[in-house]
Amino acid sequence: MDGWNYPKNEPSSCMEGTRKLNKDCTCLDVALKHCFTHASFDHLQPLFPTVRPLANRVIWFNNHRCTLSCHCRVDECRWKQEMKSQVSCVDEDDCESCRLAYCWWRTAAEFDKCAKLKLGFPNVSILTPRLRLLRELERLALVAPDGLNELQHKLLEYRSGDFWVPTGGITREDMDIPPVNTILLVGFSGSGKSSLINLMYSILGRSGLIPFAQTSSGSSNYTTMYMEEHNVLRSTRSGFCIYDSRGFDYHSTREALEEMSSWMSEGIHHNQPCFRYNDRATTADDAAMENITLRSSSNFLQREVNCVMVVANIAQIYKALKAGDLKPLEATRQLFSFPALRKSNENPLLILTHGDLLSTEERIDGRMKICEHLEISETNGVYDILCLNEYGFPVEESDPVSAYALTEAVYRALLISDRSHFPKMKFKDWAMLILLWLMRFMGFCFAFLADVCSNLGKRQKLRNEFDSRHYKLKP
């Protein structure tokens, strides 16, 4: 609900007003307004037994979801402020330093020039790529505090096909929409795909920092050996899932593209093994291979990839560039520009990670160089997201910009997914497809017969020439 409807005679007391209200969702607005402003949520429980809290600013009433966009409990707000003051900062100066920690771009050289631009539409001719990037980061910081809950609500209520809009005169019933949309994370080793999965659980699934996906943190040489399906919302009715894949090698780009092509054409399933050329040599014995075969059971549902997110380690790429090594950047370009990854005539989403390992200027310069080499916009479809949280609290509390950027990236991926669906195959389409394959088969047969007849004719001609020469040589 976007706002509150006040009655003409507003009651002065919260409890007195709620007793006079009928138990419908419209009157509930007024009751919640008073209780969340002057008292606590517990005052509503005796009067509205069907009301139960779900999360911050969200309740369920008679199986209807109600979002409180402007008000929350006073004691809850006070508790949050006390926790933030005890953990995040000691005084106002520390609070300002915490704010600058996630608004890192505000220490850039040209940020003052960006801040002087009007909030309206400035002159496009004076907007350099660097200023456009700074304005995009400011947009995320401006929308993040209020927009995060809204996007989280949309993703929680999302069902596959909800973002599809009628196009081409075809109704939704005639579209081939899968029950679950699949988003695939791809990238090279150490790019942070599994850490990004854990971050999605923390933000979207409200699970804190529980590591659902194992990562190669520190000196660990762990790598994801199987395709892993993750329900990051931790909901039985989730309309999408995220797949974690094994990282590729910068020096084996051709092998990576071949594997990517099979994933996009044939689909993927949970626990699908991601083998490399030298994996069998490193496997201990045949029993381990048999265990791998049993784990990759074909009983898992084969899913079509609807959208791809390319995860790139911006710190690793930028440091290699400074050292004169173009291999990581070129390999990322080949992976990102692979035609099989394009859906709805759109590029895959680019997620830049580990930017906190660079300085502000290096982080901005690295993003601009990567986008320039990939020939894409530095502000559209590109997100700079931190994989890990050093504070030990949910990311939306310590870094709301990264939390919102990740949520927006998932939301955008679902928009692309719902645009990529095709119409269902009807009888006429199946008949045309069978006829097409039959004609191709007949063409292959005629080509084969023509080739056989041609070879027989050549042999007969050679035999006749040989016989005529042999006849002339006889005395």
Side-chain angles (χ1 to χ4, degrees):
M1 298 179 183
D2 296 330
W4 301 95
N5 298 321
Y6 293 91
K8 295 182 179 180
N9 298 324
E10 183 177 354
S12 58
S13 172
C14 171
M15 293 298 297
E16 181 182 357
T18 51
R19 289 193 183 98
K20 297 180 180 180
L21 296 174
N22 296 325
K23 295 181 181 180
D24 57 7
C25 199
T26 304
C27 296
L28 179 64
D29 293 353
V30 184
L32 291 179
K33 164 63 179 176
H34 288 284
C35 290
F36 274 72
T37 306
H38 304 290
S40 65
F41 184 84
D42 299 331
H43 292 171
L44 279 178
Q45 198 63 32
L47 301 173
F48 297 92
T50 57
V51 176
R52 57 185 175 89
L54 178 64
N56 294 342
R57 305 180 181 181
V58 176
I59 66 165
W60 282 88
F61 173 71
N62 290 342
N63 296 326
H64 293 283
R65 184 185 177 91
C66 304
T67 303
L68 313 182
S69 58
C70 301
H71 304 281
C72 60
R73 289 177 54 178
V74 176
D75 54 349
E76 183 180 358
C77 293
R78 187 180 299 111
W79 176 81
K80 282 189 175 183
Q81 291 177 359
E82 292 177 358
M83 290 298 295
K84 287 183 180 179
S85 61
Q86 293 177 6
V87 180
S88 303
C89 53
V90 180
D91 51 19
E92 294 181 359
D93 295 335
D94 293 335
C95 289
E96 184 65 24
S97 63
C98 291
R99 191 178 297 108
L100 290 176
Y102 59 79
C103 294
W104 51 270
W105 62 89
R106 293 181 178 176
T107 60
E110 298 184 8
F111 179 74
D112 293 338
K113 186 176 180 180
C114 175
K116 292 179 181 179
L117 295 175
K118 296 181 179 180
L119 295 179
F121 296 95
N123 188 2
V124 181
S125 60
I126 65 174
L127 287 181
T128 62
R130 188 182 182 90
L131 286 178
R132 286 198 297 267
L133 175 57
L134 293 176
R135 283 177 60 86
E136 169 64 15
L137 295 174
E138 278 296 299
R139 180 192 70 86
L140 294 176
L142 180 65
V143 180
D146 298 327
L148 181 59
N149 287 335
E150 181 181 355
L151 282 187
Q152 286 177 336
H153 169 67
K154 289 183 179 180
L155 296 182
L156 185 64
E157 298 294 326
Y158 173 80
R159 302 296 176 263
S160 181
D162 283 353
F163 298 153
W164 178 83
V165 292
T167 52
I170 301 178
T171 61
R172 179 173 177 173
E173 290 73 17
D174 295 332
M175 298 295 296
D176 189 11
I177 300 177
V180 175
N181 276 328
T182 302
I183 303 174
L184 174 63
L185 300 184
V186 297
F188 294 93
S189 299
S191 59
K193 298 182 297 298
S194 300
S195 298
L196 204 65
I197 292 288
N198 291 331
L199 195 60
M200 291 181 185
Y201 275 111
S202 176
I203 298 172
L204 304 178
R206 299 286 185 177
S207 59
L209 294 178
I210 301 175
F212 287 88
Q214 187 174 352
T215 62
S216 55
S217 58
S219 59
S220 173
N221 293 325
Y222 171 82
T223 181
T224 304
M225 296 293 297
Y226 304 89
M227 305 289 290
E228 297 179 357
E229 179 177 321
H230 292 276
N231 183 348
V232 293
L233 292 180
R234 299 188 300 133
S235 170
T236 56
R237 299 182 59 196
S238 178
F240 70 95
C241 64
I242 310 292
Y243 263 82
D244 189 12
S245 63
R246 184 178 180 181
F248 301 122
D249 188 4
Y250 285 120
H251 302 282
S252 303
T253 310
R254 178 176 297 180
E255 181 182 1
L257 297 181
E258 292 177 356
E259 192 168 17
M260 277 294 309
S261 179
S262 64
W263 292 345
M264 299 302 295
S265 60
E266 302 174 6
I268 54 180
H269 65 81
H270 184 58
N271 278 343
Q272 178 178 337
C274 303
F275 288 142
R276 299 291 186 265
Y277 178 75
N278 56 349
D279 284 343
R280 183 173 291 274
T282 59
T283 306
D285 50 16
D286 294 337
M289 293 299 299
E290 183 178 357
N291 185 24
I292 293 176
T293 304
L294 291 176
R295 180 174 177 178
S296 59
S297 173
S298 59
N299 293 329
F300 292 110
L301 184 64
Q302 193 85 1
R303 300 194 185 277
E304 177 187 357
V305 178
N306 302 111
C307 186
V308 178
M309 290 185 179
V310 177
V311 186
N313 189 334
I314 185 176
Q316 187 179 31
I317 295 176
Y318 187 78
K319 291 178 181 179
L321 281 176
K322 292 182 65 176
D325 184 11
L326 299 177
K327 187 64 178 179
L329 181 58
E330 179 62 24
T332 303
R333 186 193 67 80
Q334 294 182 16
L335 181 64
F336 184 85
S337 304
F338 190 49
L341 302 187
R342 295 177 63 89
K343 290 289 184 177
S344 302
N345 201 27
E346 293 190 22
N347 291 322
L349 299 181
L350 179 63
I351 308 297
L352 301 177
T353 59
H354 300 295
D356 55 326
L357 302 178
L358 301 174
S359 64
T360 299
E361 297 299 328
E362 291 176 342
R363 194 168 177 178
I364 295 177
D365 187 45
R367 175 169 174 172
M368 294 181 62
K369 287 184 177 179
I370 291 175
C371 294
E372 181 181 2
H373 194 75
L374 269 56
E375 299 180 351
I376 59 175
S377 172
E378 62 277 350
T379 60
N380 187 15
V382 184
Y383 296 93
D384 189 339
I385 300 173
L386 298 182
C387 289
L388 301 178
N389 181 1
E390 60 181 346
Y391 298 106
F393 279 89
V395 179
E396 61 265 24
E397 298 294 336
S398 61
D399 191 356
V401 178
S402 290
Y404 179 79
L406 180 62
T407 309
E408 185 179 275
V410 176
Y411 178 76
R412 188 183 184 115
L414 294 179
L415 290 176
I416 297 175
S417 299
D418 282 339
R419 289 181 57 190
S420 63
H421 301 315
F422 293 99
K424 293 180 180 178
M425 297 285 289
K426 297 183 178 180
F427 176 77
K428 180 180 179 181
D429 299 323
W430 284 111
M432 292 295 295
L433 183 62
I434 295 174
L435 181 61
L436 178 62
W437 280 105
L438 182 60
M439 294 180 64
R440 289 181 178 178
F441 176 74
M442 293 177 61
F444 173 78
C445 293
F446 281 118
F448 177 76
L449 292 175
D451 185 62
V452 171
C453 293
S454 177
N455 291 333
L456 291 177
K458 289 180 180 179
R459 291 182 181 180
Q460 186 64 32
K461 183 178 179 181
L462 291 176
R463 183 177 300 176
N464 294 336
E465 292 179 356
F466 176 79
D467 292 342
S468 61
R469 292 178 181 176
H470 183 70
Y471 177 77
K472 291 180 180 180
L473 292 177
K474 286 185 177 181

